[in-house]
Structures are given as structure tokens and as C-alpha cells.
Amino acid sequence: MKGKDLLSIEQLSVEEIYKIFSVAKDLKAKTKRGEQHHLLAGKTLGMIFQKASTRTRVSFEVGMWQLGGQGLFLGASDMQIGRGEPIKDTARVLSRYLDAIMIRTYSQAEVEELAEYADIPIINGLTDLLHPCQVLADLFTTLEYKGDLKGRKLAYIGDGNNMANTLIQACAKIGMDIAVATPPGYEPDAGIVGKSLAAAAASGSNVTLSNRVSTAVSEADVIYTDVWASMGQESEQIKRQKDFAGFQVNSGIMKLAKPDAIVMHCLPAHRGEEITNEILEGPQSVVFDEAENRLHVQKAIMALIMGGI
Ligand code: CP
Ligand code: NVA
């Protein structure tokens, strides 16, 4: 995988996804044992942020440190990019200094342009459309808890946003069933759904979209939700609170899933909106293991694409 970009799950084969998981498992075990694993000694990851972050920033920065390299935080508003320097120039300049770039921004097209002009690997750290690093950590966490992925069912309740889009892509590819329930008007990206239906036909999984939470949650192994208003949508918060009534993960919803279903949320969470405090803090919630796994999975991604393995 050396030299490869990670802009979208679509770019990964099923074999590459399981390779990331096996390296992540190994690096997680080494980290827990305190065993040194300087696979990227002397290498630098640039981390461009146009949006806020807690998990992504810290897990990438600490991950690079644990791999023997360094993560360099680049706040977009402090860079010339924030004053209008073109992405294509930024890409070529940064390629002369860095070994890879992780970028969090609004537009997926911007990340693709960065990748087109850079000659180092580019990692998508979240766009309005996709959040592939999060979803790889989510599937790795599901694998840890359930032992397998193929044939399992994930129910996504809430906004058809970057998380929903990426979960659809990943489940369809890996052979997990995914049932998405959104309020009318908040469906996932139609282009992604269309391509994922074809991928699901090939992997033998089911992708279903509806406005019915109870049908989506029925017999689910994983219940997933995310905020109703994502970064950049803060002005729609009040309207969305009304539109999303009935789309909350709560104890009533959990009764419809499998009794051993796990609950996931990419975090940050808004308790009392998309999920109750009781469920987020309850025994079925795995949200903090999920957050921890960002570190291990991203270390695997970086080691593989930056030539450490
Ligand atoms: N889940 C996630 O990406 O969190 P941050 O926004 O804190 O990075
Ligand atoms: N959908 C959320 C995810 C945050 C990790 C957002 O884009 O703000």
C-alpha cells in the first residue's frame, strides 16, 4: 500500500481493509505491552485542519510520535491557504517537506485536488462527504466485539451525513448489512448510495434506506448515531432539533435491536439529542474503545501507506 492515498473507502480493496485491521491489532498489542515500534522514524505527517478536532488531531499526532516520527499541526487559518494560496501550489510545496498529509476540510473536491497535485500520500481526516479513518476504526471495533463482520447488521439512525455515507460505502464493500433511518430530506448522498448498492450486490449485503427507525434497528448487531448538525451546520441546529424528533437512540430503540447489540458514536455526542445519556454511558456503549481505536487503526494506515511496513 506504499504511496497510496486514503481519500475514500472506495479506494481500498477488501484485502487492504483486513490488512489495515491486522496491522492495527498488532500495533495495538505492541502499544499495550510498551514495545517500541518505530516504523516511521524520521518521517513527518502534516495535519491540515480547516475544522475543529479533538480525536483526529490527537490520535494522528500521538500515532506519529509512537511510530518514531512526528505530526505537524497546520491550522488552515494560519497558513497561506487561509489567504487564498491555491491548493495545487500548497500540495507541491508541502510534498517537498513532508512524507504524508492528513487534511480535515469541508469539500471532498479540495482533498482530491490536494491528492492530484501532491506526490506524497494524502489521508482524508473528514470532509462534509466522508470520514474514512473513523469508519475503519468503527469496523475494527466491531470486529473486536463481534469476532466477524460479514453478515452482521449495522443500523444508522439520524442524519444522512459524512458518517452515514462512509458507513454505507464500508458495509457494502465488506459484506455487512446496513439499514439507515433518516428523517425525510436528510437522506445520505445519492451518488454514494447508488455505487454502494452495486458493491453490496457483489459482497452479498443489503443496503436499505428508510424513514422508519424501528425497521432499521430490528435485529441489528450495531446501533450507530451521530450529531444532527455537523460542523458547518450550526445555524440549522434549531430546525434540525425539530426535524429529527423520533430519531434518538434511547432505551426504547435498544429493545428492538439484538440483546447483545453494541452502540457506537463517532463523538462528539450531544446527549439528549441523537442519543440519551443513559445509552451513551450504558453497558452496550463502546464509544470510548471506538475512540481509542482511531489511534491504532490510523497508525496502521500510516505505517502501510508511508512505507513503514
Ligand atoms: N470523531 C472525530 O473525528 O472526532 P474529532 O472531531 O474530535 O476529531
Ligand atoms: N458528522 C460530524 C462528525 C464529527 C466527527 C461532523 O461532520 O461534524
Side-chain angles (χ1 to χ4, degrees):
M1 291 173 70
K2 188 176 175 195
K4 207 173 160 106
D5 296 319
L6 177 51
L7 312 183
S8 153
I9 299 269
E10 268 196 343
Q11 294 174 302
L12 297 175
S13 66
V14 174
E15 293 69 32
E16 286 172 333
I17 293 173
Y18 280 105
K19 176 74 186 168
I20 291 169
F21 294 162
S22 94
V23 173
K25 187 177 175 188
D26 178 50
L27 295 182
K28 183 171 183 175
K30 285 193 166 82
T31 306
K32 301 277 179 197
R33 290 198 297 268
E35 205 176 297
Q36 201 180 82
H37 44 283
H38 287 173
L39 301 172
L40 296 177
K43 303 221 171 174
T44 305
L45 173 80
M47 310 187 301
I48 303 176
F49 282 94
Q50 298 256 24
K51 291 177 173 174
S53 170
T54 296
R55 279 144 289 268
T56 305
R57 177 183 175 175
V58 178
S59 56
F60 269 107
E61 193 163 335
V62 169
M64 274 307 285
W65 174 256
Q66 292 180 356
L67 289 167
Q70 70 162 338
L72 188 64
F73 176 77
L74 300 165
S77 55
D78 298 328
M79 296 174 73
Q80 298 291 7
I81 232 175
R83 297 179 55 246
E85 185 171 18
I87 289 276
K88 60 184 180 182
D89 293 358
T90 307
R92 286 172 287 180
V93 170
L94 292 182
S95 294
R96 307 288 179 109
Y97 307 137
L98 301 169
D99 300 290
I101 297 172
M102 189 281 301
I103 178 167
R104 165 168 290 196
T105 188
Y106 294 88
S107 141
Q108 180 73 16
E110 202 174 296
V111 177
E112 281 162 17
E113 189 182 355
L114 186 68
E116 185 186 337
Y117 285 93
D119 46 25
I120 53 175
I122 304 298
I123 302 171
N124 180 352
L126 179 146
T127 62
D128 290 346
L129 191 71
L130 297 171
H131 197 0
C133 295
Q134 177 69 52
V135 167
L136 289 168
D138 299 337
L139 292 190
F140 180 73
T141 309
T142 305
L143 194 55
E144 284 186 326
Y145 273 90
K146 298 291 170 194
D148 52 31
L149 297 175
K150 214 168 158 51
R152 296 279 176 185
K153 178 180 177 186
L154 184 146
Y156 178 92
I157 310 302
D159 187 21
N161 61 13
N162 42 14
M163 289 312 314
N165 292 334
T166 318
L167 285 163
I168 290 170
Q169 279 183 335
C171 289
K173 176 158 283 195
I174 214 97
M176 270 176 85
D177 292 345
I178 178 164
V180 175
T182 66
Y186 292 97
E187 287 80 11
D189 182 83
I192 287 178
V193 172
K195 281 190 188 166
S196 299
L197 285 171
S203 73
S205 75
N206 292 304
V207 175
T208 54
L209 307 186
S210 78
N211 310 124
R212 288 184 307 279
V213 175
S214 54
T215 321
V217 170
S218 169
E219 289 301 302
D221 299 285
V222 182
I223 308 294
Y224 203 112
T225 190
D226 184 19
V227 289
W228 291 339
S230 285
M231 289 182 275
Q233 298 172 332
E234 289 78 5
S235 64
E236 298 173 33
Q237 177 75 28
I238 305 288
K239 175 175 167 30
R240 283 170 174 260
Q241 275 176 19
K242 288 195 197 103
D243 293 348
F244 282 82
F247 287 81
Q248 182 188 63
V249 173
N250 54 34
S251 55
I253 297 288
M254 290 307 298
K255 287 195 184 84
L256 305 172
K258 284 190 184 161
D260 64 349
I262 53 174
V263 174
M264 289 192 170
H265 191 309
C266 57
L267 303 177
H270 288 184
R271 289 167 166 82
E273 291 183 26
E274 75 275 3
I275 190 164
T276 58
N277 183 61
E278 180 195 4
I279 297 300
L280 193 76
E281 299 287 355
Q284 288 171 276
S285 169
V286 301
V287 297
F288 297 108
D289 290 331
E290 182 187 358
E292 178 188 330
N293 282 334
R294 293 289 303 279
L295 172 68
H296 308 302
V297 168
Q298 288 161 195
K299 281 167 70 181
I301 293 167
M302 292 190 288
L304 286 163
I305 70 179
M306 293 170 75
I309 293 177

